[in-house]
mmCIF file of all heavy atoms in Angstrom:
data_model
loop_
_atom_site.group_PDB
_atom_site.id
_atom_site.type_symbol
_atom_site.label_atom_id
_atom_site.label_comp_id
_atom_site.label_asym_id
_atom_site.label_seq_id
_atom_site.Cartn_x
_atom_site.Cartn_y
_atom_site.Cartn_z
ATOM 1 N N TYR A 51 0.833 -1.178 -0.030
ATOM 2 C CA TYR A 51 -0.004 0.013 -0.036
ATOM 3 C C TYR A 51 0.834 1.236 0.017
ATOM 4 O O TYR A 51 0.342 2.384 0.200
ATOM 5 C CB TYR A 51 -0.938 0.000 1.201
ATOM 6 C CG TYR A 51 -2.098 -0.961 1.112
ATOM 7 C CD1 TYR A 51 -2.105 -2.035 1.986
ATOM 8 C CD2 TYR A 51 -3.018 -0.884 0.148
ATOM 9 C CE1 TYR A 51 -3.158 -3.003 1.925
ATOM 10 C CE2 TYR A 51 -4.072 -1.760 0.024
ATOM 11 C CZ TYR A 51 -4.135 -2.861 0.961
ATOM 12 O OH TYR A 51 -5.175 -3.744 0.816
ATOM 13 N N GLU A 52 2.178 1.140 -0.184
ATOM 14 C CA GLU A 52 3.063 2.269 -0.165
ATOM 15 C C GLU A 52 2.840 3.200 -1.374
ATOM 16 O O GLU A 52 2.855 2.715 -2.483
ATOM 17 C CB GLU A 52 4.546 1.768 -0.169
ATOM 18 C CG GLU A 52 5.555 2.889 -0.089
ATOM 19 C CD GLU A 52 5.813 3.264 1.338
ATOM 20 O OE1 GLU A 52 5.235 2.625 2.227
ATOM 21 O OE2 GLU A 52 6.584 4.204 1.471
ATOM 22 N N PRO A 53 2.562 4.484 -1.174
ATOM 23 C CA PRO A 53 2.461 5.377 -2.293
ATOM 24 C C PRO A 53 3.771 5.477 -3.027
ATOM 25 O O PRO A 53 4.832 5.664 -2.394
ATOM 26 C CB PRO A 53 2.127 6.738 -1.578
ATOM 27 C CG PRO A 53 1.567 6.357 -0.285
ATOM 28 C CD PRO A 53 2.335 5.159 0.137
ATOM 29 N N ILE A 54 3.767 5.266 -4.366
ATOM 30 C CA ILE A 54 5.049 5.365 -5.127
ATOM 31 C C ILE A 54 5.013 6.389 -6.212
ATOM 32 O O ILE A 54 5.921 6.444 -7.022
ATOM 33 C CB ILE A 54 5.353 3.948 -5.710
ATOM 34 C CG1 ILE A 54 4.216 3.487 -6.616
ATOM 35 C CG2 ILE A 54 5.640 2.951 -4.594
ATOM 36 C CD1 ILE A 54 4.608 2.215 -7.336
ATOM 37 N N GLY A 55 3.905 7.129 -6.328
ATOM 38 C CA GLY A 55 3.854 8.168 -7.371
ATOM 39 C C GLY A 55 2.403 8.487 -7.689
ATOM 40 O O GLY A 55 1.466 8.116 -7.095
ATOM 41 N N THR A 56 2.225 9.223 -8.856
ATOM 42 C CA THR A 56 0.936 9.563 -9.324
ATOM 43 C C THR A 56 0.813 9.253 -10.802
ATOM 44 O O THR A 56 1.850 9.165 -11.508
ATOM 45 C CB THR A 56 0.624 11.021 -9.108
ATOM 46 O OG1 THR A 56 1.663 11.838 -9.735
ATOM 47 C CG2 THR A 56 0.601 11.400 -7.626
ATOM 48 N N ASP A 57 -0.414 9.094 -11.310
ATOM 49 C CA ASP A 57 -0.545 8.820 -12.731
ATOM 50 C C ASP A 57 -0.684 10.151 -13.462
ATOM 51 O O ASP A 57 -0.556 11.243 -12.908
ATOM 52 C CB ASP A 57 -1.812 7.904 -12.935
ATOM 53 C CG ASP A 57 -3.060 8.529 -12.527
ATOM 54 O OD1 ASP A 57 -3.161 9.757 -12.249
ATOM 55 O OD2 ASP A 57 -4.077 7.789 -12.303
ATOM 56 N N LYS A 58 -1.070 10.097 -14.767
ATOM 57 C CA LYS A 58 -1.125 11.290 -15.552
ATOM 58 C C LYS A 58 -2.196 12.282 -15.160
ATOM 59 O O LYS A 58 -2.136 13.492 -15.375
ATOM 60 C CB LYS A 58 -1.346 10.960 -17.027
ATOM 61 C CG LYS A 58 -0.121 10.272 -17.656
ATOM 62 C CD LYS A 58 -0.466 9.858 -19.073
ATOM 63 C CE LYS A 58 0.796 9.073 -19.706
ATOM 64 N NZ LYS A 58 0.508 8.646 -21.121
ATOM 65 N N GLU A 59 -3.212 11.756 -14.430
ATOM 66 C CA GLU A 59 -4.292 12.572 -13.953
ATOM 67 C C GLU A 59 -4.081 13.099 -12.515
ATOM 68 O O GLU A 59 -4.933 13.711 -11.954
ATOM 69 C CB GLU A 59 -5.649 11.767 -14.047
ATOM 70 C CG GLU A 59 -5.959 11.431 -15.460
ATOM 71 C CD GLU A 59 -7.196 10.529 -15.542
ATOM 72 O OE1 GLU A 59 -7.735 10.217 -14.465
ATOM 73 O OE2 GLU A 59 -7.636 10.185 -16.612
ATOM 74 N N GLY A 60 -2.949 12.750 -11.938
ATOM 75 C CA GLY A 60 -2.679 13.210 -10.586
ATOM 76 C C GLY A 60 -3.118 12.271 -9.511
ATOM 77 O O GLY A 60 -3.046 12.594 -8.327
ATOM 78 N N ASN A 61 -3.652 11.113 -9.882
ATOM 79 C CA ASN A 61 -4.157 10.145 -8.887
ATOM 80 C C ASN A 61 -3.052 9.368 -8.262
ATOM 81 O O ASN A 61 -2.095 9.028 -8.975
ATOM 82 C CB ASN A 61 -5.198 9.216 -9.529
ATOM 83 C CG ASN A 61 -6.425 9.891 -10.042
ATOM 84 O OD1 ASN A 61 -6.996 10.737 -9.351
ATOM 85 N ND2 ASN A 61 -6.760 9.605 -11.295
ATOM 86 N N GLN A 62 -3.121 9.151 -6.977
ATOM 87 C CA GLN A 62 -2.003 8.315 -6.317
ATOM 88 C C GLN A 62 -1.964 6.924 -6.763
ATOM 89 O O GLN A 62 -2.986 6.249 -6.919
ATOM 90 C CB GLN A 62 -2.295 8.409 -4.780
ATOM 91 C CG GLN A 62 -1.230 7.675 -3.966
ATOM 92 C CD GLN A 62 -1.431 7.870 -2.473
ATOM 93 O OE1 GLN A 62 -1.127 8.900 -1.921
ATOM 94 N NE2 GLN A 62 -1.917 6.829 -1.879
ATOM 95 N N ILE A 63 -0.765 6.463 -7.009
ATOM 96 C CA ILE A 63 -0.537 5.064 -7.412
ATOM 97 C C ILE A 63 0.133 4.351 -6.238
ATOM 98 O O ILE A 63 1.125 4.857 -5.714
ATOM 99 C CB ILE A 63 0.363 4.933 -8.644
ATOM 100 C CG1 ILE A 63 -0.295 5.620 -9.835
ATOM 101 C CG2 ILE A 63 0.610 3.521 -8.970
ATOM 102 C CD1 ILE A 63 0.596 5.708 -11.069
ATOM 103 N N ASN A 64 -0.389 3.218 -5.826
ATOM 104 C CA ASN A 64 0.213 2.443 -4.734
ATOM 105 C C ASN A 64 0.882 1.199 -5.361
ATOM 106 O O ASN A 64 0.597 0.808 -6.546
ATOM 107 C CB ASN A 64 -0.799 1.916 -3.705
ATOM 108 C CG ASN A 64 -1.425 3.085 -3.016
ATOM 109 O OD1 ASN A 64 -0.862 4.158 -2.915
ATOM 110 N ND2 ASN A 64 -2.622 2.907 -2.502
ATOM 111 N N PHE A 65 1.809 0.571 -4.584
ATOM 112 C CA PHE A 65 2.475 -0.604 -5.088
ATOM 113 C C PHE A 65 1.535 -1.704 -5.535
ATOM 114 O O PHE A 65 1.797 -2.408 -6.468
ATOM 115 C CB PHE A 65 3.473 -1.077 -3.948
ATOM 116 C CG PHE A 65 4.293 -2.295 -4.367
ATOM 117 C CD1 PHE A 65 5.197 -2.224 -5.409
ATOM 118 C CD2 PHE A 65 4.212 -3.441 -3.617
ATOM 119 C CE1 PHE A 65 5.930 -3.279 -5.742
ATOM 120 C CE2 PHE A 65 4.946 -4.558 -3.974
ATOM 121 C CZ PHE A 65 5.864 -4.463 -5.044
ATOM 122 N N ILE A 66 0.421 -1.844 -4.764
ATOM 123 C CA ILE A 66 -0.503 -2.866 -5.129
ATOM 124 C C ILE A 66 -1.100 -2.727 -6.484
ATOM 125 O O ILE A 66 -1.488 -3.674 -7.174
ATOM 126 C CB ILE A 66 -1.670 -2.959 -4.082
ATOM 127 C CG1 ILE A 66 -2.420 -4.241 -4.226
ATOM 128 C CG2 ILE A 66 -2.543 -1.724 -4.119
ATOM 129 C CD1 ILE A 66 -3.467 -4.444 -3.112
ATOM 130 N N ASP A 67 -1.089 -1.466 -7.011
ATOM 131 C CA ASP A 67 -1.720 -1.194 -8.283
ATOM 132 C C ASP A 67 -0.850 -1.638 -9.465
ATOM 133 O O ASP A 67 -1.365 -1.822 -10.579
ATOM 134 C CB ASP A 67 -1.961 0.314 -8.440
ATOM 135 C CG ASP A 67 -2.933 0.885 -7.448
ATOM 136 O OD1 ASP A 67 -3.880 0.202 -7.191
ATOM 137 O OD2 ASP A 67 -2.734 1.973 -6.888
ATOM 138 N N ILE A 68 0.455 -1.901 -9.187
ATOM 139 C CA ILE A 68 1.338 -2.280 -10.279
ATOM 140 C C ILE A 68 2.045 -3.573 -9.997
ATOM 141 O O ILE A 68 2.990 -3.961 -10.799
ATOM 142 C CB ILE A 68 2.381 -1.199 -10.592
ATOM 143 C CG1 ILE A 68 3.286 -0.926 -9.411
ATOM 144 C CG2 ILE A 68 1.728 0.127 -11.033
ATOM 145 C CD1 ILE A 68 4.496 -0.057 -9.699
ATOM 146 N N ILE A 69 1.644 -4.257 -8.978
ATOM 147 C CA ILE A 69 2.453 -5.434 -8.527
ATOM 148 C C ILE A 69 2.504 -6.513 -9.609
ATOM 149 O O ILE A 69 3.452 -7.310 -9.727
ATOM 150 C CB ILE A 69 1.800 -6.054 -7.215
ATOM 151 C CG1 ILE A 69 2.811 -7.017 -6.594
ATOM 152 C CG2 ILE A 69 0.492 -6.664 -7.451
ATOM 153 C CD1 ILE A 69 2.344 -7.473 -5.250
ATOM 154 N N GLU A 70 1.498 -6.547 -10.519
ATOM 155 C CA GLU A 70 1.494 -7.593 -11.513
ATOM 156 C C GLU A 70 1.823 -7.082 -12.887
ATOM 157 O O GLU A 70 1.838 -7.842 -13.805
ATOM 158 C CB GLU A 70 0.065 -8.191 -11.588
ATOM 159 C CG GLU A 70 -0.952 -7.424 -12.380
ATOM 160 C CD GLU A 70 -1.246 -6.036 -11.867
ATOM 161 O OE1 GLU A 70 -0.871 -5.717 -10.715
ATOM 162 O OE2 GLU A 70 -1.841 -5.239 -12.591
ATOM 163 N N SER A 71 2.200 -5.820 -13.052
ATOM 164 C CA SER A 71 2.499 -5.277 -14.370
ATOM 165 C C SER A 71 3.453 -4.096 -14.287
ATOM 166 O O SER A 71 3.380 -3.321 -13.381
ATOM 167 C CB SER A 71 1.230 -4.884 -15.072
ATOM 168 O OG SER A 71 1.513 -4.253 -16.313
ATOM 169 N N GLU A 72 4.327 -3.940 -15.260
ATOM 170 C CA GLU A 72 5.195 -2.830 -15.351
ATOM 171 C C GLU A 72 4.706 -1.772 -16.399
ATOM 172 O O GLU A 72 5.378 -0.776 -16.638
ATOM 173 C CB GLU A 72 6.588 -3.248 -15.662
ATOM 174 C CG GLU A 72 7.232 -4.139 -14.601
ATOM 175 C CD GLU A 72 8.629 -4.623 -15.010
ATOM 176 O OE1 GLU A 72 9.077 -4.280 -16.053
ATOM 177 O OE2 GLU A 72 9.215 -5.296 -14.130
ATOM 178 N N GLU A 73 3.621 -2.043 -17.054
ATOM 179 C CA GLU A 73 3.121 -1.166 -18.100
ATOM 180 C C GLU A 73 2.328 -0.033 -17.565
ATOM 181 O O GLU A 73 1.202 -0.264 -16.978
ATOM 182 C CB GLU A 73 2.312 -1.976 -19.107
ATOM 183 C CG GLU A 73 3.126 -3.084 -19.808
ATOM 184 C CD GLU A 73 2.295 -3.810 -20.840
ATOM 185 O OE1 GLU A 73 1.365 -3.196 -21.401
ATOM 186 O OE2 GLU A 73 2.560 -4.975 -21.040
ATOM 187 N N PRO A 74 2.725 1.213 -17.686
ATOM 188 C CA PRO A 74 2.032 2.346 -17.109
ATOM 189 C C PRO A 74 0.644 2.512 -17.602
ATOM 190 O O PRO A 74 -0.246 2.966 -16.915
ATOM 191 C CB PRO A 74 2.940 3.519 -17.442
ATOM 192 C CG PRO A 74 3.724 3.074 -18.597
ATOM 193 C CD PRO A 74 3.951 1.657 -18.400
ATOM 194 N N ASP A 75 0.342 2.171 -18.897
ATOM 195 C CA ASP A 75 -1.031 2.379 -19.395
ATOM 196 C C ASP A 75 -2.029 1.466 -18.663
ATOM 197 O O ASP A 75 -3.183 1.817 -18.486
ATOM 198 C CB ASP A 75 -1.062 2.157 -20.893
ATOM 199 C CG ASP A 75 -0.641 0.744 -21.327
ATOM 200 O OD1 ASP A 75 0.257 0.215 -20.651
ATOM 201 O OD2 ASP A 75 -1.237 0.148 -22.215
ATOM 202 N N VAL A 76 -1.591 0.274 -18.274
ATOM 203 C CA VAL A 76 -2.429 -0.646 -17.537
ATOM 204 C C VAL A 76 -2.622 -0.050 -16.137
ATOM 205 O O VAL A 76 -3.741 -0.041 -15.557
ATOM 206 C CB VAL A 76 -1.809 -2.072 -17.469
ATOM 207 C CG1 VAL A 76 -2.626 -2.953 -16.543
ATOM 208 C CG2 VAL A 76 -1.714 -2.635 -18.862
ATOM 209 N N VAL A 77 -1.560 0.357 -15.495
ATOM 210 C CA VAL A 77 -1.646 0.932 -14.168
ATOM 211 C C VAL A 77 -2.592 2.069 -14.082
ATOM 212 O O VAL A 77 -3.445 2.134 -13.140
ATOM 213 C CB VAL A 77 -0.246 1.420 -13.688
ATOM 214 C CG1 VAL A 77 -0.332 2.171 -12.388
ATOM 215 C CG2 VAL A 77 0.769 0.277 -13.624
ATOM 216 N N GLU A 78 -2.590 2.907 -15.044
ATOM 217 C CA GLU A 78 -3.500 4.106 -14.973
ATOM 218 C C GLU A 78 -4.942 3.764 -15.127
ATOM 219 O O GLU A 78 -5.808 4.518 -14.680
ATOM 220 C CB GLU A 78 -3.084 5.048 -16.118
ATOM 221 C CG GLU A 78 -1.690 5.710 -15.891
ATOM 222 C CD GLU A 78 -1.142 6.384 -17.102
ATOM 223 O OE1 GLU A 78 -1.903 6.530 -18.089
ATOM 224 O OE2 GLU A 78 0.044 6.786 -17.065
ATOM 225 N N ARG A 79 -5.288 2.614 -15.639
ATOM 226 C CA ARG A 79 -6.654 2.239 -15.860
ATOM 227 C C ARG A 79 -7.195 1.360 -14.723
ATOM 228 O O ARG A 79 -8.374 1.094 -14.661
ATOM 229 C CB ARG A 79 -6.781 1.454 -17.161
ATOM 230 C CG ARG A 79 -6.784 2.420 -18.321
ATOM 231 C CD ARG A 79 -6.466 1.928 -19.592
ATOM 232 N NE ARG A 79 -6.868 1.017 -20.389
ATOM 233 C CZ ARG A 79 -6.247 0.448 -21.462
ATOM 234 N NH1 ARG A 79 -5.257 0.413 -21.683
ATOM 235 N NH2 ARG A 79 -6.570 -0.162 -22.323
ATOM 236 N N MET A 80 -6.245 0.898 -13.850
ATOM 237 C CA MET A 80 -6.736 0.032 -12.765
ATOM 238 C C MET A 80 -7.370 0.789 -11.663
ATOM 239 O O MET A 80 -6.843 1.773 -11.195
ATOM 240 C CB MET A 80 -5.545 -0.808 -12.219
ATOM 241 C CG MET A 80 -4.899 -1.755 -13.259
ATOM 242 S SD MET A 80 -6.085 -2.909 -13.903
ATOM 243 C CE MET A 80 -6.490 -3.798 -12.418
ATOM 244 N N ASP A 81 -8.468 0.286 -11.168
ATOM 245 C CA ASP A 81 -9.179 0.878 -10.001
ATOM 246 C C ASP A 81 -8.643 0.210 -8.727
ATOM 247 O O ASP A 81 -8.632 -1.006 -8.658
ATOM 248 C CB ASP A 81 -10.692 0.689 -10.157
ATOM 249 C CG ASP A 81 -11.384 1.215 -8.912
ATOM 250 O OD1 ASP A 81 -11.570 2.416 -8.739
ATOM 251 O OD2 ASP A 81 -11.791 0.347 -8.056
ATOM 252 N N LYS A 82 -8.233 1.015 -7.748
ATOM 253 C CA LYS A 82 -7.609 0.492 -6.534
ATOM 254 C C LYS A 82 -8.521 -0.500 -5.857
ATOM 255 O O LYS A 82 -8.156 -1.609 -5.411
ATOM 256 C CB LYS A 82 -7.279 1.648 -5.625
ATOM 257 C CG LYS A 82 -6.696 1.176 -4.297
ATOM 258 C CD LYS A 82 -6.362 2.408 -3.458
ATOM 259 C CE LYS A 82 -5.920 1.946 -2.059
ATOM 260 N NZ LYS A 82 -5.548 3.125 -1.174
#
């Protein structure tokens, strides 16, 4: 749950949001 940055819209991204993928376009579309 560690905050590691924000997406293009300024929304907070947590480690859990990208644990399964390194592709930023997928991360930005995932709902926490």
Side-chain angles (χ1 to χ4, degrees):
Y51 288 115
E52 182 84 6
I54 59 173
T56 56
D57 61 18
K58 291 178 180 178
E59 298 175 357
N61 298 313
Q62 180 174 286
I63 299 173
N64 295 337
F65 182 61
I66 192 172
D67 297 321
I68 63 170
I69 195 172
E70 83 299 346
S71 174
E72 296 178 358
E73 297 182 28
D75 59 322
V76 174
V77 173
E78 291 167 9
R79 282 159 59 198
M80 295 304 295
D81 175 77
K82 178 180 175 180

